[in-house]
Amino acid sequence: MFTQKRTLFFLTVTVILSLVLAACQAANTGEPVPVTGSGKDITIVIAEDPPSFNPIVSDTGYDALVMELVMLGLTDVDPQGNVFPELAKELPTVDNGEVKIDESAGTMSVTWKMRQDVQWQDSKPVTADDVLFTWNASSDPDNGSWIPGSDYIDSVEQVDQYSFIVNYNTVYPGYLTQFGGEQLAIWPAHHCDAKQGFVAWDCGRQPLSDGPFVLDEWVEGDHLTFTKNENYYVSGKPEIDKVTVRIVPDDSVRKTMMLQGDADIDMWINVNTANDLQNSETAKVSLSPTDRWVMRLFMNEAAKGTTDATAHPHPILSDVRVRQAIRLAVDVDTINSEIFHGLAHPTWTEFFRPPYACGVPRPAFDPEAAKATLEEAGWKDTDGDGTRECHGCSSGAPEGYKMEMEFITYAEYGEPLELTQQLIAEMLGKIGIKLNITVVEGSVLWDLAENGGIEQGGKFDIDIWDDGYAGVDPTDYLWEAYSQEAIKPGDGWNIARWDNPEVDGLIDQAYTLDEQTRKETFCQIADAIDKEVPIIHLFTVPNADAYSARLEGVQSSVNDLVTWNIADWKIQ
Amino acid sequence: MATYILRRLIQTIGLLFLLSIILFALVNLAPGGPLSAYGGRRIRPEKIEILKRQFGLDKPLPVQYLYWLAGNDWVKVDTNGDGMGDELGSRNGILRGDFGFSYRTREPVLKEIGLRLPNTIYLMSITMLVALIIAIPIGIYSAIKQYSIFDFFATTFSFAGQSIPEFWLGLLLILIFYTWLRNPWTGEPLLPPGGMFTLDSTFSLSDRILHLVLPVLTGTLGWIAWYSRFLRSSLLEILPLNYLKSARARGLPERTVIYKHALSNALIPIVTLLALDLPYIFTGAVLIETIFSWPGMGRLYYQAAVERDYPLLMAVLIIGAAFIILCNLLADVLYAYLDPRVRYE
């Protein structure tokens, strides 16, 4: 018979096992080293571990954030969009003779000269060897990666220890940030193992620093600590002695830590957090002076499930008047005030920020005009159920076809986008367009067509999310988002399947260093998009980072992560 | 019994094999894939091809499963994309203890799990222990004093404990103990909002305990309710039985009747229930780990699932499944051990 002794024995074993496991864990964690704090320590809170210090590989934002602490590129971009040199001695231009264009061949070469006073943390100099090593590793077809504009490079030649030439097979306007910016750093040839491959090498997670800080410790899932790089090339900088990056997955906990003064930086805060922090004495919000992420509606001009708008036009959206009517029916100001606390900026064109801002007039919010446009396009509600049907429509839909579509967004953005989606569905419902809402994971929305990716496979009617070009050169982005070549699944992201030969020609024309031509060309593209409405641009979402009131010099940027100028930060 | 255990262990191997096929198919056939998260939306065709080869995703699913199970160091794999095998693969397969590398970090999967598992065992074992220490007396007292005020409150508490969502309770506790309440001597928040210990401090047991309070409190509430209700019901079924009446008739004190004769039998189902709950100690709790910034298995699993980090996801699932099957076996064996009326042939 079961006895009390057995019960006690079992419970005792459970207790002892638990305590032993707890003790083992405590021993396993290792003892944190006490630091003689100078009071110049800061804590950055982020949602998840960076996969590595190499953002080219996975592009999560967290990798770029920590990369800025330890690695340098040839150049970087400030919040206003100005490129400034880091490892480069100066910016190569046509005017200073370092950029040479062969008009007849349509090629160009760029000579880069590097600073000679930058060292790795082991005191070895940063040289052109490291740049060539990085280029060779990143462009290795077997183990490399893809960096913007790399298709346009024919060769990279070393001139001497501190200079090299990049030969392009075209005129490439984005050359200034090709070996720098928010993603690419120059990696140490003597530390990284090329055989491991650019995307997999150990130095991506154990970097050798030439930036303002040195990685001390990385306890995965918990924290990373960095201390000041005594070899940093800018004398007297950084002013901060130690940076702790803590992994705090929940955004409301991060906000609470900011409010309590236990965190100094919370990157990429959402509008609700920005609104909550507005009156805080301990935490401030830094907004980027320019925006980048434009919330937009993508309207599939090809029938759902297909990717060729000519062979299989969408039964509703292939008619430009329908797309124009949708634009007329969306009240951006209401979305902004009701959901984004008035912090969003209404935006109606791809070209809204300097240096390529175009004077496209803002479209009106006019539901009555939208209804009239739909009537004119042959979409009428004859059965009185509130949803229009095709009665003589010219988009190829059969007579009586209901104006009902699926409206998709991605879950990771969170509540503001889902509310926006619902509000837009309501607005379009009022003009007789029925939208059925779907929310999916980003990994499903943006996956390859062969894996069931929704956008690449054309398996959607309308979807909404935020997008925008990085840095200051929109040319590659335009090719990827609007050119005919980018329609085919796998080749690009023209997911509206908008085929406009005139725009294709204009995009080709934008590959020049003549700024005047570029400005004019971009504005012509802006006009074409405005006229044919393959995408409806709605508003920009502010790029906001929270910082503690004791920090000086923090400036959020759409062109980089908030740590882009961490060497200049001061603690009051 | 030995034969029974051996037979069950052999069945476990077969079951795990079947499970591995089903899980591998489900994980790989679910919409979305690792390459969409790997490199963001702007991933280019050139990079996709490279990554596919590196991850072994260029092979048909059955071949991928075979390589995952038995490795690919016995076949030549295509490393340069020309469609021809160039060199022997480097994977040993899970049968030889190689769970592959994480797509996200490029680190061996077992290393990733090894970093997180001790943290989860640490948190969850203490949570379960605290839950039992509190739940057992509540269950006993509720049963003995059925329909008393205490029983009424315990019942209300149980329903509340099982109904309150962990994410809500966790955030509420952070609001109370981190934001509102202050240590009267130091002016610091009464309890930390998360993490396992205070960074930049020497080891301190009190610091560790302070960091455990909120996650353990959040995690135990549901379990306290669960175990106390179960024990109450179990005791209430036993208390009217004749053998207890006989014990009382023999003049045994009520304390001895309850704690020696009634409780020993009432605890049998609790022990088996506990064995079935043991896998939680290894698999962790996603919400608690997320809210309290606890670097454990739950968060690792969630991130692997969201990013379609197949090797990591499969490893966590298979190891979790193995734990569940073994704990089921343990529950059966314990049941037979504790209750001699139960016999397995």
Side-chain angles (χ1 to χ4, degrees):
Chain A
M1 191 69 186
F2 174 62
T3 67
Q4 192 175 358
K5 279 183 186 171
R6 286 185 178 181
T7 314
L8 283 173
F9 169 76
F10 182 77
L11 283 174
T12 310
V13 169
T14 311
V15 170
I16 291 171
L17 268 177
S18 302
L19 291 175
V20 167
L21 289 169
C24 288
Q25 193 285 330
N28 232 354
T29 310
E31 303 308 319
V33 182
V35 171
T36 47
S38 61
K40 289 188 172 180
D41 303 350
I42 65 165
T43 299
I44 298 173
V45 283
I46 58 176
E48 59 187 65
D49 277 288
S52 74
F53 284 73
N54 191 354
I56 284 287
V57 176
S58 45
D59 192 20
T60 62
Y62 306 111
D63 29 27
L65 180 103
V66 293
M67 183 193 85
E68 289 292 338
L69 300 180
V70 296
M71 307 296 291
L72 299 174
L74 280 183
T75 59
D76 210 342
V77 186
D78 73 12
Q80 284 75 28
N82 304 308
V83 180
F84 62 90
E86 276 187 337
L87 292 172
K89 198 173 173 183
E90 60 178 356
L91 298 180
T93 61
V94 175
D95 291 343
N96 65 19
E98 304 296 7
V99 175
K100 293 187 173 65
I101 295 175
D102 183 339
E103 297 285 357
S104 57
T107 60
M108 77 177 202
S109 64
V110 179
T111 303
W112 288 90
K113 290 177 179 161
M114 297 172 65
R115 296 182 69 96
Q116 299 187 13
D117 56 350
V118 187
Q119 295 179 338
W120 299 106
Q121 70 187 78
D122 60 4
S123 300
K124 292 191 172 153
V126 180
T127 67
D129 289 337
D130 298 311
V131 179
L132 260 76
F133 169 77
T134 304
W135 164 249
N136 289 332
S138 66
S139 58
D140 175 0
D142 292 335
N143 292 303
S145 189
W146 179 86
I147 55 176
S150 56
D151 308 340
Y152 306 125
I153 295 180
D154 271 349
S155 63
V156 181
E157 299 166 22
Q158 188 164 353
V159 177
D160 58 36
Q161 196 182 0
Y162 292 102
S163 59
F164 61 95
I165 299 173
V166 184
N167 295 308
Y168 291 88
N169 55 28
T170 185
V171 176
Y172 183 54
Y175 71 95
L176 276 178
T177 52
Q178 194 160 25
F179 292 93
E182 66 176 333
Q183 290 206 314
L184 188 65
I186 299 303
W187 293 85
H190 67 285
H191 177 67
C192 297
D193 182 356
K195 284 181 191 164
Q196 291 178 326
F198 181 75
V199 294
W201 57 26
D202 293 337
C203 66
R205 289 174 62 85
Q206 298 146 18
L208 192 71
S209 172
D210 61 348
F213 294 92
V214 173
L215 174 68
D216 271 353
E217 181 189 41
W218 184 350
V219 178
E220 214 169 304
D222 197 69
H223 69 274
L224 303 93
T225 52
F226 302 85
T227 47
K228 181 177 182 170
N229 181 3
E230 300 297 342
N231 275 349
Y232 190 52
Y233 74 99
V234 183
S235 174
K237 290 186 178 178
E239 291 218 350
I240 291 164
D241 291 332
K242 186 179 175 189
V243 177
T244 302
V245 177
R246 288 195 60 182
I247 315 302
V248 181
D250 190 89
D251 56 355
S252 55
V253 176
R254 291 198 301 275
K255 182 182 76 180
T256 309
M257 289 176 73
M258 289 297 303
L259 288 167
Q260 292 292 307
D262 283 338
D264 295 289
I265 294 285
D266 181 9
M267 69 179 272
W268 284 350
I269 56 171
N270 62 34
V271 284
N272 292 334
T273 302
N275 192 49
D276 291 346
L277 295 180
Q278 273 184 347
N279 299 318
S280 167
E281 289 180 2
T282 54
K284 307 283 177 198
V285 176
S286 176
L287 297 174
S288 174
T290 57
D291 291 345
R292 165 178 170 184
W293 306 104
V294 186
M295 195 60 75
R296 55 187 73 197
L297 292 170
F298 296 85
M299 291 168 293
N300 192 355
E301 293 184 30
K304 193 174 177 181
T306 68
T307 56
D308 185 343
T310 310
H312 307 284
H314 193 282
I316 300 170
L317 296 169
S318 57
D319 187 339
V320 67
R321 290 172 294 183
V322 173
R323 304 197 296 270
Q324 287 166 341
I326 291 173
R327 184 168 62 180
L328 284 166
V330 177
D331 182 1
V332 174
D333 289 335
T334 299
I335 296 171
N336 188 14
S337 61
E338 295 291 319
I339 299 169
F340 288 86
H341 307 286
L343 293 171
H345 302 125
T347 305
W348 48 92
T349 174
E350 202 74 76
F351 303 92
F352 64 94
R353 60 171 160 137
Y356 305 116
C358 301
V360 177
R362 182 177 178 180
F365 164 59
D366 189 344
E368 293 308 316
K371 288 178 190 170
T373 307
L374 290 177
E375 296 279 335
E376 183 196 321
W379 292 94
K380 296 166 185 149
D381 179 17
T382 54
D383 57 10
D385 67 351
T387 304
R388 293 172 185 272
E389 311 95 41
C390 171
H391 296 289
C393 64
S394 57
S395 53
E399 191 70 6
Y401 189 88
K402 285 273 181 195
M403 205 168 204
E404 182 175 351
M405 293 177 281
E406 189 180 19
F407 185 24
I408 303 177
T409 194
Y410 71 110
E412 289 87 334
Y413 191 98
E415 190 185 39
L417 182 52
E418 289 179 29
L419 291 174
T420 302
Q421 183 192 26
Q422 291 163 20
L423 201 49
I424 290 174
E426 274 180 38
M427 289 167 180
L428 295 193
K430 286 178 185 168
I431 63 163
I433 301 176
K434 186 177 178 189
L435 294 183
N436 300 314
I437 284 174
T438 306
V439 180
V440 298
E441 288 175 74
S443 60
V444 179
L445 187 61
W446 299 314
D447 200 10
L448 312 178
E450 64 204 64
N451 288 351
I454 289 172
E455 287 192 336
Q456 282 288 306
K459 295 184 286 188
F460 72 104
D461 296 308
I462 303 179
D463 68 8
I464 180 170
W465 51 276
D466 50 328
D467 195 14
Y469 63 90
V472 288
D473 177 25
T475 328
D476 284 346
Y477 175 82
L478 290 172
W479 182 90
E480 207 166 56
Y482 294 103
S483 76
Q484 190 271 337
E485 289 173 287
I487 287 178
K488 192 180 155 200
D491 284 0
W493 288 91
N494 185 348
I495 52 166
R497 270 76 201 193
W498 183 47
D499 185 357
N500 186 319
E502 184 198 340
V503 169
D504 290 340
L506 290 170
I507 292 171
D508 287 342
Q509 195 177 300
Y511 282 89
T512 171
L513 298 190
D514 181 344
E515 276 303 297
Q516 191 54 37
T517 304
R518 277 163 67 76
K519 280 179 184 170
E520 287 169 10
T521 305
F522 291 143
C523 289
Q524 284 174 281
I525 294 172
D527 289 340
I529 295 171
D530 185 57
K531 189 175 157 196
E532 296 198 12
V533 205
I535 286 171
I536 298 176
H537 301 86
L538 300 171
F539 52 87
T540 52
V541 185
N543 192 90
D545 299 285
Y547 66 101
S548 66
R550 70 190 188 114
L551 273 182
E552 280 180 6
V554 178
Q555 176 55 63
S556 184
S557 172
V558 289
N559 300 316
D560 210 334
L561 279 299
V562 65
T563 45
W564 69 276
N565 67 338
I566 192 168
D568 301 330
W569 292 359
K570 292 177 184 171
I571 297 177
Q572 285 177 352
Chain B
M1 177 65 89
T3 315
Y4 171 76
I5 294 174
L6 189 66
R7 196 170 70 232
R8 282 288 299 269
L9 282 174
I10 293 168
Q11 285 172 353
T12 298
I13 293 168
L15 187 58
L16 273 177
F17 177 68
L18 275 176
L19 261 177
S20 72
I21 294 174
I22 295 167
L23 289 174
F24 195 89
L26 283 176
V27 162
N28 281 275
L29 294 175
L35 300 183
S36 56
Y38 213 94
R41 196 183 69 88
R42 300 258 169 251
I43 192 165
R44 295 296 298 265
E46 302 89 332
K47 191 172 169 183
I48 289 169
E49 292 309 316
I50 293 169
L51 287 170
K52 271 186 176 175
R53 285 201 303 278
Q54 287 177 349
F55 294 164
L57 297 170
D58 55 336
K59 299 281 185 294
L61 206 54
V63 178
Q64 287 183 42
Y65 174 76
L66 185 66
Y67 288 176
W68 174 78
L69 190 72
N72 64 357
D73 55 348
W74 44 276
V75 286
K76 285 190 171 179
V77 294
D78 176 19
T79 56
N80 55 15
D82 63 357
M84 305 292 287
D86 303 306
E87 56 189 62
L88 289 176
S90 57
R91 292 159 61 184
N92 293 323
I94 65 159
L95 293 178
R96 286 180 282 166
D98 177 9
F99 281 82
F101 64 88
S102 158
Y103 290 166
R104 175 183 163 87
T105 63
R106 303 279 181 152
E107 295 284 330
V109 161
L110 287 184
K111 184 184 167 193
E112 296 274 319
I113 292 175
L115 287 170
R116 303 296 186 98
L117 191 56
N119 302 338
T120 288
I121 294 174
Y122 170 50
L123 174 65
M124 299 304 286
S125 58
I126 291 173
T127 302
M128 194 174 265
L129 190 65
V130 170
L132 282 176
I133 288 170
I134 297 171
I136 290 175
I138 291 177
I140 294 171
Y141 200 73
S142 285
I144 297 170
K145 304 285 181 189
Q146 193 184 9
Y147 304 132
S148 64
I149 293 177
F150 179 86
D151 187 31
F152 170 75
F153 277 111
T155 305
T156 310
F157 166 82
S158 296
F159 283 122
Q162 287 191 317
S163 319
I164 294 175
E166 282 177 345
F167 72 90
W168 182 83
L169 178 65
L171 291 175
L172 183 71
L173 291 175
I174 287 175
L175 187 68
I176 295 169
F177 291 99
Y178 174 63
T179 308
W180 291 348
L181 298 181
R182 299 264 147 188
N183 182 324
W185 290 279
T186 63
E188 296 285 312
L190 202 58
L191 291 170
M196 293 170 58
F197 53 81
T198 303
L199 298 178
D200 302 335
S201 63
T202 50
F203 177 78
S204 149
L205 189 61
S206 60
D207 179 65
R208 300 276 169 150
I209 292 171
L210 286 177
H211 281 82
L212 274 170
V213 172
L214 294 185
V216 168
L217 194 56
T218 310
T220 50
L221 199 63
W223 265 342
I224 290 171
W226 170 248
Y227 281 114
S228 63
R229 295 302 293 171
F230 209 86
L231 183 57
R232 179 182 179 275
S233 307
S234 182
L235 259 179
L236 284 175
E237 277 181 21
I238 286 169
L239 284 176
L241 294 183
N242 286 338
Y243 82 96
L244 293 181
K245 287 180 187 166
S246 161
R248 285 193 190 97
R250 289 206 312 272
L252 286 177
E254 186 63 16
R255 188 182 178 81
T256 309
V257 172
I258 299 292
Y259 291 102
K260 188 169 180 186
H261 296 285
L263 186 60
S264 54
N265 281 334
L267 277 177
I268 293 174
I270 297 289
V271 171
T272 50
L273 195 67
L274 185 65
L276 292 174
D277 281 342
L278 277 181
Y280 286 111
I281 288 183
F282 302 95
T283 53
V286 178
L287 291 174
I288 292 178
E289 290 177 6
T290 300
I291 292 166
F292 295 105
S293 313
W294 198 274
M297 289 292 289
R299 263 171 59 197
L300 187 71
Y301 168 75
Y302 178 73
Q303 194 162 30
V306 168
E307 297 184 355
R308 305 292 193 273
D309 193 342
Y310 293 154
L312 188 52
L313 195 56
M314 279 304 297
V316 175
L317 287 172
I318 282 293
I319 293 171
F323 273 131
I324 290 170
I325 293 171
L326 289 176
C327 287
N328 269 280
L329 176 59
L330 179 69
D332 289 348
V333 171
L334 272 176
Y335 202 69
Y337 172 72
L338 296 174
D339 186 348
R341 291 170 299 180
V342 176
R343 282 285 170 266
Y344 298 116
E345 299 303 332

